[in-house]
Amino acid sequence: MSQIRPIKDLRNTNEIFELCRAKQEPILITTKGYGDLVVMSINTYAHLLEGDYRNHSIHVAIANDALMDKRLEAKACLSSLRRIPIE
């Protein structure tokens, strides 16, 4: 569960930095009781982006599958995946 902190807590930057690193999740910053900002460590941000990329890839694969009439056997599919360069 994400931490929710008022904007005045941003004055204590060391505490916020340590909280971001320790929790590995976004910290929600509020202004006058309403959500305003999100603060997180760079590692947490990278992890979120990686998850978004994976989800996007899955949705693209499902959409492509719906457009194609042919199915591949498991061996052929795995063999074609091994030839795809990983960045």
Side-chain angles (χ1 to χ4, degrees):
M1 186 69 148
S2 296
Q3 290 266 335
I4 300 174
R5 296 293 187 100
I7 197 160
K8 67 178 181 153
D9 284 3
L10 289 180
R11 291 180 189 148
N12 189 349
T13 55
N14 287 337
E15 180 185 343
I16 296 296
F17 286 150
E18 292 305 318
L19 190 59
C20 284
R21 290 184 188 118
K23 292 288 186 177
Q24 295 295 310
E25 61 185 20
I27 298 173
L28 308 175
I29 306 296
T30 61
T31 303
K32 298 181 182 177
Y34 295 98
D36 197 25
L37 301 170
V38 176
V39 179
M40 66 183 87
S41 71
I42 194 76
N43 290 336
T44 302
Y45 179 68
H47 183 71
L48 288 174
L49 286 180
E50 184 180 300
D52 284 347
Y53 176 76
R54 243 185 269 130
N55 288 338
H56 174 72
S57 297
I58 290 169
H59 288 294
V60 167
I62 291 170
N64 284 340
D65 183 54
L67 294 174
M68 297 174 62
D69 285 338
K70 69 177 186 175
R71 304 263 184 218
L72 297 175
E73 290 185 11
K75 285 183 181 180
C77 184
L78 290 173
S79 142
S80 70
L81 286 175
R82 288 188 186 108
R83 285 183 262 139
I84 297 173
I86 299 175
E87 297 178 14

